[in-house]
Amino acid sequence: METVDAIVVGAGHNGLVAANLLADAGWSVLVLEATPNPGGAVRSGEITAPGYLSDLFSAFYPLGYASPVLKSLDLDLRWTHAPDVFTHLLPDGRAATVSRDLDRTAESMDQFAPGDGDRWRTAYEEWRSVSGKMLDTLFTPFPPVRNGLGLVRQLRVGGALRLARRLVLSVRELGSEMFDGEGAPLALAGCALHTDLSPEEAGGGVYGWLLAMLGQEFGWPVPVGGAQEITTALVRRFRGEIVYEAPVSRVLVARGRAVGVRTADGRDWRARRAVIADVPAPALFLDLVSERWLPSRFVEDLQHFRWDGATVKVDWALRGRMPWHNPVAGRAGTVHLGADLNGLTKYAAHLAADEVPPDPFLLLGQMTTADATRSPAGTESMWAYTHLPHRRTWHADEIAAHVERMEAVVEEHAPGFRAEVIARHVYAPGDMERENPSLVGGALGGGTAAAFQQLFLRPVPGLGRPDTPVDRLYLGSASAHPGGGVHGAPGANAARAALVRDRNVLYPAAIRAAHRVIYR
């Protein structure tokens, strides 16, 4: 039996962040990855045509670029930007554009209502006044006492209460309160629908505000050479061992304490100090840990865990540039298209009713526009994805019909698009899960972004921390606070918890006492 200080289950970006932090602290660390490749949802490959590089799952990285976690690792990366951050195309062809150039953004919003440009400037000034502390609050362990108190001191009680109200507004309400015209609210709403929330859901406004303002401040950059460069940088930095094609079948527990894992080939691997799991919460607790070691209330709560929606993603290799009807869209790395605000509500309603949306809303990425290395000069490597209801299986003809709908939306906004396509690749929800077992049913977020499964309610009602009812076992995936996105915070929080538990003899007793109160 090989023995190390810590075992990390899963070489997704969160697992690699945790492994790096523990190795930096002097621990011996082993990472066990079920697939042949590291990176999880942060990978690239030529899946359409030779010379056309696609990001297989995630692509643009405002959270990763701004994340204090990834910054602290000083990764060897080069970032690049499209001329504009994103554009939301309305059905009538008008465009609401966010650019790193604040004047350009303001000019775009003013086209929808005079004064909305200045209102956007005001919103951005408000964001800049809190952005540093907000990001530190989001990406540190819950509860964020120090950073939270810093925000309260800065904003004072009245300002903090108003910020708290903003954080629970729906994106429709937030947009209508902040702006007069249609463009700026739609820019926020399109960002909010990067999650599985509708424009009407409480808490959706914070996602729209966060992504839009990050775009204004930092842009939505991409690594030069593909998303895989993030993973490569994390692997290159790691001073430890990674074993591939080693799926874990069991977390080994003795007297309520995680002591190692067993892989599918029957090998046992011992961990002296910690096991960190970069896998979805249901997989960890219901598959890898016996219910014998979990409080019955905890197991019951897991039955109410909710996934985010399924995803269909199409990658295209284009022989030329996109023939956008509105040329403004040609400058944007990301294009939102297929719906105005009411259209977004209807799209989300179909998903909530377990129906396939007849008019899909698309998130489209122009990768060569953002990074010239992604395809030959004068061409475009492009993708688009949309959501479907979360189901365990989809028939091939259902997916093919929906891809046809997606391409029809693109063709409507870019006449001649289909004639430019030389190759296509489709990821159905099941394909995503086969490539990366953590993308259960094509869910990209590790669980819903809804308010009832955030903070101390993620993944179930509890402490909002990576500690689990099994001592020395930590949840370090997107199923843990603060959730999905490529920022490394769940992995970092798990590593920090393991380090604190190792040096503080009172810590495990305090966690056990808290769990007894919560799950009795």
Side-chain angles (χ1 to χ4, degrees):
M1 183 187 298
E2 183 171 344
T3 301
V4 291
D5 290 324
I7 293 173
V8 176
V9 181
H13 89 280
N14 278 307
L16 292 172
V17 166
N20 270 279
L21 291 175
L22 292 177
D24 288 352
W27 289 26
S28 58
V29 183
L30 171 70
V31 180
L32 298 174
E33 167 57 37
T35 74
N37 303 296
V42 187
R43 292 166 48 203
S44 309
E46 292 188 358
I47 56 175
T48 55
Y52 287 77
L53 185 66
S54 299
D55 289 339
L56 303 187
F57 307 108
S58 61
F60 291 88
Y61 298 107
L63 291 170
Y65 186 78
S67 167
V69 172
L70 295 187
K71 283 182 179 179
S72 72
L73 295 176
D74 194 24
L75 298 177
D76 181 18
L77 286 171
R78 288 191 299 135
W79 296 93
T80 186
H81 298 262
D84 288 332
V85 179
F86 70 89
T87 287
H88 194 121
L89 288 177
L90 283 74
D92 62 10
R94 290 178 298 161
T97 297
V98 171
S99 168
R100 287 183 295 155
D101 181 339
L102 183 56
D103 290 339
R104 180 170 169 79
T105 305
E107 180 182 358
S108 179
M109 302 313 168
D110 267 334
Q111 293 177 14
F112 293 87
D116 268 5
D118 286 337
R119 294 181 189 97
W120 186 279
R121 293 178 192 275
T122 298
Y124 181 54
E125 289 170 5
E126 292 172 348
W127 161 257
R128 285 296 305 273
S129 71
V130 299
S131 63
K133 289 188 172 64
M134 277 284 292
L135 292 173
D136 287 340
T137 299
L138 284 172
F139 297 141
T140 50
F142 191 86
V145 176
R146 183 175 62 182
N147 293 312
L149 289 175
L151 267 175
V152 172
R153 282 194 298 268
Q154 176 181 329
L155 298 174
R156 302 192 179 185
V157 173
L161 290 173
R162 292 178 183 88
L163 176 61
R165 178 181 180 275
R166 176 171 289 184
L167 298 182
V168 298
L169 285 175
S170 71
V171 74
R172 182 185 285 271
E173 287 291 340
L174 179 65
S176 67
E177 288 189 4
M178 296 175 68
F179 304 103
D180 287 347
E182 188 177 6
L186 195 54
L188 298 181
C191 290
L193 265 73
H194 284 230
T195 72
D196 62 321
L197 303 181
S198 79
E200 280 66 50
E201 283 189 76
V206 67
Y207 291 99
W209 181 57
L210 175 67
L211 286 179
M213 292 300 123
L214 283 174
Q216 188 64 72
E217 183 174 6
F218 299 109
W220 291 2
V222 299
V224 174
Q228 187 72 42
E229 292 301 309
I230 298 175
T231 296
T232 299
L234 285 165
V235 171
R236 184 167 53 235
R237 188 188 184 282
F238 175 51
R239 297 189 302 276
E241 182 183 3
I242 304 175
V243 179
Y244 298 105
E245 297 184 280
V248 170
S249 59
R250 176 69 63 188
V251 173
L252 303 177
V253 182
R255 293 193 291 272
R257 175 181 295 175
V259 295
V261 302
R262 178 170 297 151
T263 46
D265 60 4
R267 293 183 65 184
D268 289 345
W269 313 71
R270 183 184 174 195
R272 285 185 290 260
R273 302 160 100 171
V275 174
I276 292 177
D278 181 12
V279 299
L284 173 60
F285 297 114
L286 300 180
D287 298 336
L288 304 186
V289 177
S290 169
E291 292 185 16
R292 168 189 175 189
W293 303 110
L294 300 171
S296 59
R297 285 292 294 274
F298 184 89
V299 176
E300 290 173 14
D301 287 340
L302 279 170
Q303 305 306 318
H304 302 298
F305 180 88
R306 292 293 178 265
W307 294 104
D308 43 311
T311 305
V312 176
K313 178 174 178 284
V314 186
D315 288 88
W316 296 280
L318 275 61
R319 62 170 53 87
R321 294 297 191 185
M322 272 292 284
W324 293 109
H325 179 73
N326 187 335
V328 170
R331 292 174 46 88
T334 299
V335 183
H336 300 158
L337 69 162
D340 57 13
L341 188 54
N342 288 337
L344 292 178
T345 295
K346 293 172 184 176
Y347 160 81
H350 282 290
L351 295 175
D354 195 33
E355 298 171 352
V356 175
D359 300 303
F361 166 63
L362 305 188
L363 301 166
L364 181 147
Q366 300 185 113
M367 301 314 301
T368 310
T369 298
D371 174 11
T373 70
R374 304 300 181 93
S375 68
T379 68
E380 187 72 60
S381 178
M382 192 177 80
W383 56 260
Y385 77 78
T386 191
H387 291 302
L388 290 169
H390 190 91
R391 299 176 186 169
R392 290 304 303 171
T393 59
W394 289 91
H395 295 297
D397 56 349
E398 293 177 298
I399 298 301
H402 209 56
V403 169
E404 173 63 28
R405 295 185 196 101
M406 294 171 67
E407 291 194 339
V409 171
V410 181
E411 182 76 22
E412 181 180 354
H413 290 274
F417 149 71
R418 292 184 202 251
E420 293 296 319
V421 175
I422 61 173
R424 154 195 309 108
H425 180 276
V426 176
Y427 269 133
D431 299 325
M432 289 193 167
E433 185 172 354
R434 279 189 292 275
E435 283 286 325
N436 179 358
S438 289
L439 304 181
V440 177
L444 299 178
T448 180
F452 63 76
Q453 201 163 285
Q454 292 298 322
L455 303 174
F456 57 88
L457 305 175
R458 191 172 188 89
V460 298
L463 300 175
R465 298 182 60 81
D467 308 88
T468 74
V470 178
D471 187 24
R472 294 188 178 177
L473 174 65
Y474 306 91
L475 179 63
S477 70
S479 290
H481 170 75
V486 179
H487 44 71
N493 291 345
R496 291 177 183 132
L499 292 169
V500 171
R501 188 258 177 261
D502 191 64
R503 61 177 176 257
N504 187 335
V505 295
L506 300 178
Y507 184 83
I511 294 294
R512 283 196 302 270
H515 283 159
R516 279 196 298 270
V517 171
I518 295 168
Y519 302 119
R520 65 182 178 187

